[in-house]
Amino acid sequence: MFLYASLLVFLVYFSNVAAGAFWDQVYFGDVGEMLVLLAASVLFVVAILQKEAARKNQNDS
C-alpha cells in the first residue's frame, strides 16, 4: 500500500519536473517540489520498514 502511494507521489513530482523542463510550466514551486519529494521518501521508508518487519516476523515463526 505505502509502496504504491510512494510511487504515485513520486510520479507527481516527476511530472512536475518534466513539465518544467519540456514545456516551461511548473505546477509546484521550489517548496512544493521539496514537500512532494519528502512525502515520497517518507512513504518509501515506511513501506521498506513494513516489509522488513513482515520478513522478521516470518523468520521468527
Side-chain angles (χ1 to χ4, degrees), residues 13 16 28-41:
Y13 168 77
N16 185 55
F28 303 118
D30 292 340
V31 175
E33 280 186 359
M34 178 198 63
L35 292 175
V36 170
L37 189 58
L38 177 69
S41 300

mmCIF file of all heavy atoms in Angstrom, residues 13 16 28-41:
data_model
loop_
_atom_site.group_PDB
_atom_site.id
_atom_site.type_symbol
_atom_site.label_atom_id
_atom_site.label_comp_id
_atom_site.label_asym_id
_atom_site.label_seq_id
_atom_site.Cartn_x
_atom_site.Cartn_y
_atom_site.Cartn_z
ATOM 1 N N TYR A 13 5.765 14.210 -8.581
ATOM 2 C CA TYR A 13 6.986 15.010 -8.556
ATOM 3 C C TYR A 13 7.678 14.992 -9.921
ATOM 4 O O TYR A 13 8.060 16.035 -10.453
ATOM 5 C CB TYR A 13 7.939 14.475 -7.476
ATOM 6 C CG TYR A 13 9.324 15.046 -7.554
ATOM 7 C CD1 TYR A 13 9.594 16.327 -7.088
ATOM 8 C CD2 TYR A 13 10.380 14.323 -8.100
ATOM 9 C CE1 TYR A 13 10.872 16.870 -7.170
ATOM 10 C CE2 TYR A 13 11.644 14.849 -8.182
ATOM 11 C CZ TYR A 13 11.893 16.123 -7.717
ATOM 12 O OH TYR A 13 13.149 16.655 -7.798
ATOM 13 N N ASN A 16 5.927 17.030 -12.584
ATOM 14 C CA ASN A 16 6.149 18.456 -12.384
ATOM 15 C C ASN A 16 7.518 18.870 -12.917
ATOM 16 O O ASN A 16 7.643 19.895 -13.596
ATOM 17 C CB ASN A 16 6.026 18.817 -10.901
ATOM 18 C CG ASN A 16 6.123 20.298 -10.668
ATOM 19 O OD1 ASN A 16 5.384 21.082 -11.242
ATOM 20 N ND2 ASN A 16 7.049 20.694 -9.812
ATOM 21 N N PHE A 28 4.184 23.236 -9.113
ATOM 22 C CA PHE A 28 4.636 23.497 -7.748
ATOM 23 C C PHE A 28 5.863 24.392 -7.798
ATOM 24 O O PHE A 28 6.652 24.311 -8.727
ATOM 25 C CB PHE A 28 5.031 22.200 -7.031
ATOM 26 C CG PHE A 28 3.944 21.168 -6.981
ATOM 27 C CD1 PHE A 28 4.105 19.940 -7.577
ATOM 28 C CD2 PHE A 28 2.759 21.431 -6.324
ATOM 29 C CE1 PHE A 28 3.119 18.989 -7.528
ATOM 30 C CE2 PHE A 28 1.760 20.479 -6.269
ATOM 31 C CZ PHE A 28 1.935 19.248 -6.877
ATOM 32 N N GLY A 29 6.036 25.184 -6.770
ATOM 33 C CA GLY A 29 7.262 25.967 -6.646
ATOM 34 C C GLY A 29 8.355 25.111 -6.031
ATOM 35 O O GLY A 29 8.234 23.885 -5.924
ATOM 36 N N ASP A 30 9.422 25.743 -5.627
ATOM 37 C CA ASP A 30 10.542 25.014 -5.035
ATOM 38 C C ASP A 30 10.137 24.312 -3.744
ATOM 39 O O ASP A 30 10.480 23.149 -3.524
ATOM 40 C CB ASP A 30 11.704 25.962 -4.760
ATOM 41 C CG ASP A 30 12.354 26.486 -6.023
ATOM 42 O OD1 ASP A 30 12.171 25.841 -7.081
ATOM 43 O OD2 ASP A 30 13.022 27.523 -5.952
ATOM 44 N N VAL A 31 9.402 25.010 -2.899
ATOM 45 C CA VAL A 31 8.988 24.420 -1.621
ATOM 46 C C VAL A 31 7.990 23.291 -1.861
ATOM 47 O O VAL A 31 8.057 22.242 -1.212
ATOM 48 C CB VAL A 31 8.393 25.501 -0.693
ATOM 49 C CG1 VAL A 31 7.859 24.887 0.587
ATOM 50 C CG2 VAL A 31 9.440 26.559 -0.376
ATOM 51 N N GLY A 32 7.095 23.469 -2.809
ATOM 52 C CA GLY A 32 6.139 22.415 -3.137
ATOM 53 C C GLY A 32 6.828 21.163 -3.648
ATOM 54 O O GLY A 32 6.463 20.045 -3.272
ATOM 55 N N GLU A 33 7.815 21.336 -4.515
ATOM 56 C CA GLU A 33 8.581 20.190 -5.011
ATOM 57 C C GLU A 33 9.288 19.480 -3.872
ATOM 58 O O GLU A 33 9.318 18.251 -3.821
ATOM 59 C CB GLU A 33 9.618 20.634 -6.038
ATOM 60 C CG GLU A 33 9.079 20.857 -7.413
ATOM 61 C CD GLU A 33 10.177 21.164 -8.411
ATOM 62 O OE1 GLU A 33 11.362 21.216 -8.025
ATOM 63 O OE2 GLU A 33 9.835 21.358 -9.586
ATOM 64 N N MET A 34 9.873 20.262 -2.949
ATOM 65 C CA MET A 34 10.569 19.662 -1.826
ATOM 66 C C MET A 34 9.605 18.846 -0.966
ATOM 67 O O MET A 34 9.918 17.726 -0.551
ATOM 68 C CB MET A 34 11.236 20.735 -0.971
ATOM 69 C CG MET A 34 11.943 20.182 0.240
ATOM 70 S SD MET A 34 12.293 21.399 1.523
ATOM 71 C CE MET A 34 10.663 21.896 2.009
ATOM 72 N N LEU A 35 8.414 19.384 -0.711
ATOM 73 C CA LEU A 35 7.455 18.679 0.127
ATOM 74 C C LEU A 35 6.930 17.410 -0.545
ATOM 75 O O LEU A 35 6.735 16.387 0.117
ATOM 76 C CB LEU A 35 6.302 19.607 0.493
ATOM 77 C CG LEU A 35 6.660 20.770 1.413
ATOM 78 C CD1 LEU A 35 5.458 21.684 1.610
ATOM 79 C CD2 LEU A 35 7.174 20.260 2.742
ATOM 80 N N VAL A 36 6.726 17.461 -1.847
ATOM 81 C CA VAL A 36 6.260 16.269 -2.566
ATOM 82 C C VAL A 36 7.344 15.200 -2.556
ATOM 83 O O VAL A 36 7.071 14.015 -2.319
ATOM 84 C CB VAL A 36 5.836 16.633 -4.003
ATOM 85 C CG1 VAL A 36 5.580 15.397 -4.835
ATOM 86 C CG2 VAL A 36 4.601 17.510 -3.979
ATOM 87 N N LEU A 37 8.592 15.588 -2.785
ATOM 88 C CA LEU A 37 9.684 14.622 -2.749
ATOM 89 C C LEU A 37 9.888 14.080 -1.337
ATOM 90 O O LEU A 37 10.166 12.886 -1.158
ATOM 91 C CB LEU A 37 10.967 15.264 -3.270
ATOM 92 C CG LEU A 37 12.146 14.326 -3.489
ATOM 93 C CD1 LEU A 37 11.783 13.206 -4.459
ATOM 94 C CD2 LEU A 37 13.339 15.098 -4.013
ATOM 95 N N LEU A 38 9.729 14.914 -0.332
ATOM 96 C CA LEU A 38 9.814 14.457 1.054
ATOM 97 C C LEU A 38 8.716 13.446 1.356
ATOM 98 O O LEU A 38 8.965 12.416 1.986
ATOM 99 C CB LEU A 38 9.715 15.648 2.020
ATOM 100 C CG LEU A 38 9.711 15.300 3.501
ATOM 101 C CD1 LEU A 38 11.066 14.764 3.924
ATOM 102 C CD2 LEU A 38 9.332 16.509 4.328
ATOM 103 N N ALA A 39 7.500 13.710 0.897
ATOM 104 C CA ALA A 39 6.394 12.773 1.120
ATOM 105 C C ALA A 39 6.669 11.439 0.437
ATOM 106 O O ALA A 39 6.425 10.372 1.021
ATOM 107 C CB ALA A 39 5.094 13.380 0.607
ATOM 108 N N ALA A 40 7.193 11.464 -0.780
ATOM 109 C CA ALA A 40 7.520 10.226 -1.481
ATOM 110 C C ALA A 40 8.599 9.448 -0.734
ATOM 111 O O ALA A 40 8.510 8.222 -0.602
ATOM 112 C CB ALA A 40 7.971 10.527 -2.905
ATOM 113 N N SER A 41 9.588 10.151 -0.219
ATOM 114 C CA SER A 41 10.671 9.493 0.519
ATOM 115 C C SER A 41 10.169 8.873 1.816
ATOM 116 O O SER A 41 10.529 7.739 2.158
ATOM 117 C CB SER A 41 11.786 10.488 0.829
ATOM 118 O OG SER A 41 12.310 11.014 -0.357
#
